[in-house]
Amino acid sequence: MSDYTGYTEAELLHTYSKVDPLDSLILCVRLAVLVAVTLTVPVVLFPIRRALMQLLFPEKPFHWLRHITIAVCLLFVVNLLVIFVPNIRDIFGITGATTAPTLIFILPGLFYIRIIPKNQEPMSSRPKIQAACFTTLGFIFMIMSLTFIGLDWMSGEN
């Protein structure tokens, strides 16, 4: 049984390029990925920009300068990530370490605490305390995961 992990790179298309760098199928797939990413950025940028505008300027009316400034700042951060993050595995790690605890632990607990009125069930009730503990556990998992990812980056090991 041969070990293929030494021959596989983090970016799968780079691995295929080692076999035949001018293979037209691989070049077409690379072009398709480039087009998909280029067309996806505005779709993803819109809700992020809108959420930031609601968070930072909730009472202010729409203003083009603020709109464009936030978009340029977001694109700048995305470009910095593209330049400085060596491979997509690190992005998936950060995304998984933040979204999984948020969706599984943090948001359900916070929704329960927020949705059930205080006059119906006080914050000192057993279910709300359990929901708060559940939320806290999610934050602990998130901090632990991000710490392990940071330690992995600092040590330089895979």
Side-chain angles (χ1 to χ4, degrees), residues 72-83:
V72 167
C73 289
L74 286 172
L75 287 173
F76 181 74
V77 169
V78 168
N79 282 324
L80 284 179
L81 283 173
V82 168
I83 292 168

Side-chain angles (χ1 to χ4, degrees), residues 35-49 74-75 78:
V35 169
V37 169
T38 303
L39 295 177
T40 303
V41 167
V43 174
V44 173
L45 194 67
F46 177 76
I48 295 171
R49 182 180 53 234
L74 286 172
L75 287 173
V78 168

Side-chain angles (χ1 to χ4, degrees), residues 22-61:
L22 297 176
D23 185 15
S24 59
L25 182 61
I26 295 297
L27 292 174
C28 287
V29 170
R30 280 184 158 178
L31 180 66
V33 169
L34 177 68
V35 169
V37 169
T38 303
L39 295 177
T40 303
V41 167
V43 174
V44 173
L45 194 67
F46 177 76
I48 295 171
R49 182 180 53 234
R50 183 147 184 185
L52 282 175
M53 287 176 70
Q54 284 291 325
L55 186 66
L56 300 175
F57 312 105
E59 302 298 323
K60 304 238 178 176

Side-chain angles (χ1 to χ4, degrees), residues 8 31 56-57 75-76 83 89 95 104 116 129-131 151:
T8 310
L31 180 66
L56 300 175
F57 312 105
L75 287 173
F76 181 74
I83 292 168
R89 179 183 63 96
T95 304
I104 296 171
I116 305 296
I129 291 173
Q130 287 174 333
L151 290 173

Side-chain angles (χ1 to χ4, degrees), residues 6 13 40 47 79 85 97 105 128:
L13 293 176
T40 303
N79 282 324
V85 175
F105 294 101
K128 282 204 175 179

